[in-house]
Every structure is written in C-alpha cells, then in structure tokens.
C-alpha cells in the first residue's frame, strides 16, 4: 500500500473506532435495561463490543497491538469506574471480557496482515 492509502486507512480506522466507542458509551453508561440472555451472557456482549472496538485499528496498524490493547483496557476500566454513578454495577469480569475481546481482535488482525 502507498503512504496515502495507509493514511486513508488509518483515518477510516480512527473514525470507525470513535463511532464504536460512542456506541459502547451509550450502551454501558445509560441506566440498566432488563438482562437479555442467560446469566453471564453479558460477558460475551463485553467481549464482542470490545473486539469490535479494537478491530479497525488492529487492522490498520497491527504493529500497534499492545498500545491498542492498553488503550481499550483503559477505556473499559474508565467505564467500569463510571458505571456505579449511572445506576449500573462495575465488575472485574466485565473488564476482563473487554481485554479478552480487544486482545483477540488485535491478534487476529496481526495474523491476517502478516
């Protein structure tokens, strides 16, 4: 890819990441809705959401893997800290699912882009 194509890819990845982050904020920082699915299925939702969050940048810049995972983990941690103030519960399991989702996305993109 040429430098301009790489720059466009990075800009699109940043835009997609921002939109996904906003969607995650809306869904995790609004008052809790009734639980959907079996007990513990919210961990799968956390995994999927943070997988999607890490995916665009993981694709655009697979070498940034550890930085992407750290940024996503920090974002997930901030959400867990804020949630009790909006009537939701904070759980370590949610943060672990967030990190697992981001790590899986980064690893997958690294393998695909090699």
């Amino acid at each position: 890819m040429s430098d301009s194509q790489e720059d466009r890819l990075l800009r699109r990845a940043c835009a997609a990441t921002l939109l996904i982050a906003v969607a995650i904020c809306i869904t995790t920082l609004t008052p809790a809705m009734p639980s959907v699915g079996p007990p513990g299925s919210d961990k799968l939702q956390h995994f999927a959401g943070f997988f999607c969050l890490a995916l665009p940048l993981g694709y655009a810049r697979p070498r940034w893997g550890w930085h992407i995972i750290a940024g996503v983990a920090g974002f997930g941690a901030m959400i867990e800290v804020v949630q009790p103030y909006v009537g939701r519960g904070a759980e370590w399991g949610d943060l672990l699912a967030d990190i697992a989702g981001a790590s899986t996305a980064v690893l997958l993109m690294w393998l695909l882009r090699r």
Side-chain angles (χ1 to χ4, degrees):
M1 261 190 231
S2 69
D3 284 344
S4 64
Q5 287 175 318
E6 284 288 329
D7 290 341
R8 265 196 309 270
L9 178 61
L10 181 58
R11 281 194 303 275
R12 289 178 181 157
C14 288
T17 300
L18 179 62
L19 288 173
I20 295 166
V22 168
I24 288 173
C25 283
I26 290 168
T27 59
T28 60
L29 296 176
T30 54
M33 300 291 288
S35 182
V36 176
S41 67
D42 69 307
K43 305 306 179 255
L44 182 58
Q45 294 165 358
H46 277 266
F47 181 93
F50 283 76
F51 177 93
C52 292
L53 181 63
L55 203 60
L57 283 176
Y59 179 77
R61 293 293 189 271
R63 291 184 180 176
W64 292 2
W66 291 113
H67 300 286
I68 295 167
I69 294 167
V72 169
F75 179 67
M78 288 189 312
I79 287 173
E80 294 303 319
V81 167
V82 173
Q83 279 184 327
Y85 297 101
V86 295
R88 297 183 75 143
E91 296 181 34
W92 283 107
D94 291 348
L95 181 58
L96 292 175
D98 299 345
I99 294 168
S103 299
T104 303
V106 166
L107 177 62
L108 179 63
M109 291 301 98
W110 181 78
L111 289 171
L112 288 175
R113 294 284 311 257
R114 281 188 80 193

